[in-house]
């Protein structure tokens, strides 16, 4: 089942939340900062052992103090105008995150709108890539959540998903 929520991803009590991290995996702004803050300092200590993460790939960490059991850290592309492989790299973020989730028996997973904050990926274009991948994988999970921070994002995702899905706004 695929669901659109408007919520703070750090509050979700599910198997895994995806972090839109940077290559260091050592914390940053936006959703990354919020996740590190909510998970506690053990997350930084753990991530120091991971050796960073290449753009378009993903690595897993425990959720520590989060209600979620796992954090799947992925690194989205920085928007450079669209001709630098951004759509492919963004799609790979979703694919690698889902594959890692499957390897770890994760059944419920939530994604933020990767790359659409500090990394500057246009919201609509990023949502097209995201929705495509979310739809590709949803049947392999009990619940896949597109966790939007803003109402604008909810509207974009809802529109793309069409009338077949209702957005639950908390
Ligand atoms: P990136 O560096 O990949 O652009 P950002 O964290 O800057 O990552 O932004 C990615 C998306 O996450 C943006 O749409 C932003 O509004 C959203 N976001 C920020 N904080 C949260 C949060 N606590 N929960 C869910 N989404 C969030």
């Amino acid at each position: 089942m695929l669901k659109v929520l408007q919520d703070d991803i750090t509050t979700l009590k599910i198997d895994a939340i995806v972090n839109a991290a940077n290559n260091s995996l050592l914390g940053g702004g936006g959703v990354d900062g919020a996740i590190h803050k909510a998970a506690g300092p053990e997350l930084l200590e753990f991530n120091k052992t991971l050796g960073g993460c290449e753009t378009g790939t993903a690595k897993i960490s425990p959720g520590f103090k989060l209600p979620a059991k796992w954090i799947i850290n992925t690194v989205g592309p920085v928007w450079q105008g669209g001709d630098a492989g951004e759509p492919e790299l963004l799609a790979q973020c979703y694919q690698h995150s889902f594959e890692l989730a499957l390897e770890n028996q994760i059944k419920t997973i939530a994604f933020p709108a990767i790359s659409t904050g500090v990394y500057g990926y246009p919201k609509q274009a990023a949502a097209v890539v995201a929705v495509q991948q979310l739809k590709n994988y949803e049947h392999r999970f009990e619940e896949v959540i597109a966790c939007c921070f803003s109402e604008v994002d909810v509207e974009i995702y809802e529109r793309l998903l069409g009338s077949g899905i209702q957005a639950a706004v908390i």
Side-chain angles (χ1 to χ4, degrees), residues 52-137:
C53 187
E54 282 181 27
T55 304
T57 70
K59 290 197 178 171
I60 193 163
S61 314
F64 295 105
K65 293 195 173 65
L66 286 177
K69 188 165 176 220
W70 299 102
I71 300 162
I72 294 180
N73 308 278
T74 188
V75 185
V78 176
W79 181 255
Q80 292 170 41
D83 294 327
E86 294 94 327
E88 293 77 15
L89 286 166
L90 186 60
Q92 285 167 24
C93 287
Y94 287 89
Q95 291 159 2
H96 285 129
S97 297
F98 275 128
E99 295 298 337
L100 205 45
L102 289 168
E103 283 168 28
N104 287 278
Q105 287 79 46
I106 285 161
K107 304 273 186 230
T108 55
I109 182 167
F111 287 82
I114 299 164
S115 281
T116 65
V118 178
Y119 282 5
Y121 207 120
K123 282 173 177 289
Q124 172 75 26
V128 168
V129 174
V131 164
Q132 207 165 36
Q133 298 306 322
L134 297 174
K135 279 185 153 179
N136 280 349
Y137 280 90

Side-chain angles (χ1 to χ4, degrees), residues 123-132 135 153-163 165:
K123 282 173 177 289
Q124 172 75 26
V128 168
V129 174
V131 164
Q132 207 165 36
K135 279 185 153 179
D153 286 315
V154 173
E155 283 162 15
I156 291 172
Y157 275 83
E158 260 189 275
R159 212 168 29 239
L160 286 171
L161 285 164
S163 53
I165 182 164

Side-chain angles (χ1 to χ4, degrees), residues 7-53:
D7 210 342
D8 174 350
I9 203 166
T10 65
T11 65
L12 301 182
K13 197 166 183 244
I14 52 175
D15 292 343
I17 63 169
V18 174
N19 183 11
N22 58 42
N23 295 115
S24 77
L25 298 185
L26 303 181
V31 71
D32 193 14
I35 289 172
H36 273 265
K37 190 166 174 223
E42 295 100 317
L43 178 60
L44 175 60
E45 289 312 307
F46 181 88
N47 283 5
K48 282 180 185 168
T49 68
L50 295 178
C53 187

